[in-house]
Amino acid sequence: MSTAIPVPDPESAGTAAFGAEVIRPQDPRAHLLTQSLVACTLGSPFVGEVLASAHRQLGRAPHLDATLAAWPYDPATSAMALRLNAGLHALARRGTFTDLSALYAGRHTEFDRAVGEALERGEPTLLTWMSHPTQTNEVRRSSAFMAALSVLAHRHGLPFELFEVGASAGLNLLLDRYAHDLGGVPCGQADSSLRLKPQWNGPPPPRADVRVASVRGVDLRPLQLDDPLTRERLMSYVWPGDHARSHYLRRAMMLARNAVPVVDRDSGGTWLNQRLREPQAAGTMRVVLHSMVLQYLPDDELQSVKASIQGAGMRATRDRPFARIGLEWNRDRTQVLLCVTSWSGSSKDGERTILAACHPYGAWIDWLGAAESRAAA
């Protein structure tokens, strides 16, 4: 649970973006140890030990070792350690190496032996995992989106057209098909087989009828949920032992079989510019959503996304309002903040409001009553 007061400006969360050249630390491999401590803090000592063991055993995989030593991006914002962790988890889930699978199943605790063998013999597979950004598609983040949409629905009372940047498999675009309990306020589909109840701190969000008229997403590498290998890939990004995340992901993927969300393959800035210039029906509100994606965007792409959003905001009117909802790290990566910015042709347009501080994977939400009052006024 977070009790710290959010910093006022989350907008710079993507300044050290994936794909952009940055000043690297003395040895990027040390980030494995940093992320090991973070994993323990977030409640996964197993992942912490896997990453610490990987750091000790890297010499057994010389090509992987060299790749990490020469890592050209910021290790934190490019999720370097989490890519390796997911690759090892994938090898364990597949049963590729018996000793590694036994370690993940809790049948022994010889981390160095099992992880070292996996690094040595599974190096080609792990190098492939290192070449792709993480795509976790955390469905519990949709509760944060739903809370923010409740604020907008309370203010405008209109159905939403949702556009998500970095949508991955599009599971968060199905947020109205999930049952949410937001501090005692029910939202979504009450009889859904997926029930999300984040630990809620602070006053509840406003009660409002959140109606979703249409959804669409974009991703550079959209994941197709009808592919069993894709479903397995998503499961590998879940930290081993986190049964709650695994449960929610499985339920969401089952629901998506009957309501496959549309996720286009494109860059976020180009796609948004096209979609947001399409005619908008009167009496609808367009909303751009993004969660934990700004850090992966190169600076030119980040600026393109911002320009498309700003342009849509300038064109917004009272009967065709527009908003942006972001769930991203703050400037110094100490908190994940839920923020909303809206436009409706008024003098108060474009004011960003921090609604909450959230767990990175959506386990808890610290709602800010004062921010809610400003947003809903």
Side-chain angles (χ1 to χ4, degrees):
M1 181 178 72
S2 171
T3 56
I5 298 175
V7 298
D9 182 13
E11 189 64 19
S12 300
T15 53
F18 168 74
E21 294 295 332
V22 297
I23 299 175
R24 294 184 286 112
Q26 189 86 23
D27 186 350
R29 292 170 294 188
H31 180 66
L32 295 179
L33 297 178
T34 301
Q35 189 62 45
S36 171
L37 295 174
V38 171
C40 292
T41 301
L42 292 177
S44 183
F46 182 89
V47 171
E49 188 54 46
V50 165
L51 292 175
S53 179
H55 183 267
R56 292 190 295 267
Q57 297 294 318
L58 266 179
R60 297 179 63 175
H63 295 295
L64 179 63
D65 189 19
T67 296
L68 269 59
W71 195 256
Y73 318 117
D74 179 89
T77 57
S78 63
M80 184 187 81
L82 297 184
R83 299 183 195 204
L84 180 57
N85 176 65
L88 288 167
H89 192 195
L91 291 175
R93 290 178 61 87
R94 296 171 191 170
T96 307
F97 305 112
T98 303
D99 203 29
L100 185 71
S101 297
L103 173 70
Y104 276 68
R107 293 196 291 271
H108 71 80
T109 57
E110 296 295 333
F111 284 86
D112 281 6
R113 185 186 72 202
V115 172
E117 179 194 25
L119 292 177
E120 181 178 342
R121 296 176 56 198
E123 186 178 45
T125 298
L126 295 174
L127 285 169
T128 299
W129 279 84
M130 296 305 300
S131 67
H132 295 288
T134 59
Q135 291 181 285
T136 54
N137 221 175
E138 299 293 340
V139 293
R140 283 189 293 183
R141 293 174 184 161
S142 67
S143 289
F145 283 156
M146 182 62 82
L149 288 173
S150 295
V151 171
L152 294 173
H154 183 262
R155 179 193 293 183
H156 298 279
L158 299 176
F160 297 109
E161 296 179 2
L162 303 182
F163 300 90
E164 185 181 10
V165 178
S168 188
L171 294 177
N172 284 323
L173 287 170
L174 303 179
L175 80 176
D176 63 325
R177 297 176 182 267
Y178 309 150
H180 305 264
D181 183 334
L182 308 177
V185 175
C187 292
Q189 188 171 319
D191 61 350
S192 175
S193 61
L194 177 53
R195 310 188 69 80
L196 300 171
K197 186 178 180 180
Q199 179 181 336
W200 194 273
N201 307 294
R207 291 181 179 269
D209 182 16
V210 176
R211 293 170 290 154
V212 177
S214 63
V215 299
R216 194 163 179 178
V218 65
D219 200 285
L220 281 174
R221 297 182 181 88
L223 300 180
Q224 304 300 320
L225 291 172
D226 57 355
D227 177 9
L229 292 179
T230 294
R231 296 195 296 271
E232 180 61 25
R233 183 177 184 84
L234 279 172
M235 293 302 300
S236 295
Y237 281 121
V238 176
W239 288 2
D242 194 333
H243 303 299
R245 287 173 67 193
S246 297
H247 167 77
Y248 294 135
L249 179 56
R250 286 195 184 94
R251 285 293 178 92
M253 289 192 293
M254 290 179 64
L255 283 172
R257 292 178 182 178
N258 298 321
V260 180
V262 175
V263 181
D264 299 318
R265 182 184 298 272
D266 206 342
S267 65
T270 300
W271 183 86
L272 269 185
N273 186 54
Q274 294 172 347
R275 298 287 81 76
L276 297 180
R277 288 186 177 276
E278 293 173 351
Q280 177 180 352
T284 63
M285 184 170 197
R286 282 185 171 170
V287 181
V288 171
L289 310 170
H290 55 87
S291 63
M292 311 299 278
V293 69
L294 297 186
Q295 67 195 70
Y296 297 114
L297 301 182
D299 188 62
D300 59 344
E301 180 69 10
L302 181 62
Q303 297 308 317
S304 178
V305 167
K306 290 181 180 179
S308 296
I309 291 173
Q310 188 65 33
M314 296 297 291
R315 296 189 295 272
T317 61
R318 184 173 182 178
D319 63 342
R320 293 179 176 85
F322 173 72
R324 167 190 183 179
I325 298 173
L327 183 67
E328 303 282 351
W329 286 105
N330 61 7
R331 185 192 302 270
D332 55 2
R333 294 181 62 84
T334 58
Q335 286 184 304
V336 175
L337 301 179
L338 175 66
C339 300
V340 64
T341 310
S342 63
W343 295 262
S344 58
S346 76
S347 60
K348 295 183 179 181
D349 280 358
E351 294 182 0
R352 186 190 307 113
T353 299
I354 300 174
L355 296 178
C358 304
H359 183 276
Y361 299 138
W364 49 256
I365 296 176
D366 284 356
W367 192 258
L368 305 179
E372 174 201 342
S373 297
R374 290 198 302 272

